[in-house]
Amino acid sequence: WTFLHNGTGFTMFVVQKNTATDAYYILGTQNGSGANRGFGLVRLSSTSTRLAIGDGSSQIAGSDFTMTQNSWSKLCAYGDTGTNPDYYVRLNGSATTDTNESGALSATVSPYALGIGVGGAGNYSTNASFHEVIIYNRKLTDMEITQIEAYLNYVYGL
């Protein structure tokens, strides 16, 4: 999972439903504190979710977006280093936010593994249900993203 730690390209699809207002990880490799680089999709409140890349004290990329509670959602997060904006979030097939890097990404990897439903260190266990998680170790093209979103629409009606 090095690509989820050091800012190299990735594309991730998550079909899930948030069921609580508390802060918790949807999935991630960060532990929420310290200097370990990582990736996180974090539920902040009953309506707000954050894509975060960096470490607990210094996010290199971070975007907040609105995500409805108690209904199934199809989330796509993707990007890589390069020309700004570099990271993108799509929710149920529509763009929500673009994020520029605020600093240099580091190749220093976190000792934590990818946690689905938790942060990499096990912090903030989740209050979400999951149908499917798909992860690619590169930024997919717009056409590829459209094809996978069509598949998820067909399978889950989202």
Side-chain angles (χ1 to χ4, degrees):
W1 306 109
T2 301
F3 61 94
L4 291 178
H5 293 282
N6 67 6
T8 55
F10 71 92
T11 305
M12 182 176 302
F13 297 88
V14 181
V15 178
Q16 59 92 50
K17 174 173 63 171
N18 298 314
T19 57
T21 60
D22 302 336
Y24 58 83
Y25 274 92
I26 296 170
L27 65 137
T29 60
Q30 319 177 275
N31 68 349
S33 63
N36 296 305
R37 298 285 179 197
F39 166 90
L41 284 170
V42 184
R43 186 73 169 170
L44 301 176
S45 68
S46 61
T47 59
S48 184
T49 304
R50 174 175 292 156
L51 164 67
I53 300 169
D55 60 42
S57 60
S58 176
Q59 290 184 7
I60 291 167
S63 289
D64 293 355
F65 55 96
T66 300
M67 201 166 163
T68 305
Q69 187 169 331
N70 293 322
S71 63
W72 288 98
S73 297
K74 173 184 60 185
L75 179 64
C76 175
Y78 61 104
D80 58 10
T81 59
T83 58
N84 288 323
D86 303 320
Y87 299 96
Y88 308 88
V89 175
R90 293 176 57 83
L91 183 62
N92 296 326
S94 298
T96 62
T97 185
D98 300 342
T99 302
N100 296 331
E101 296 168 26
S102 61
L105 289 165
S106 168
T108 304
V109 298
S110 170
Y112 302 113
L114 175 66
I116 298 174
V118 298
N123 300 2
Y124 310 116
S125 55
T126 194
N127 282 314
S129 299
F130 295 84
H131 274 315
E132 188 162 354
V133 176
I134 305 170
I135 302 171
Y136 294 90
N137 65 349
R138 66 180 176 89
K139 180 181 172 185
L140 297 182
T141 66
D142 291 343
M143 177 63 77
E144 290 169 323
I145 289 170
T146 300
Q147 289 172 334
I148 294 168
E149 286 182 336
Y151 155 76
L152 295 172
N153 287 344
Y154 176 76
V155 173
Y156 301 110
L158 296 172

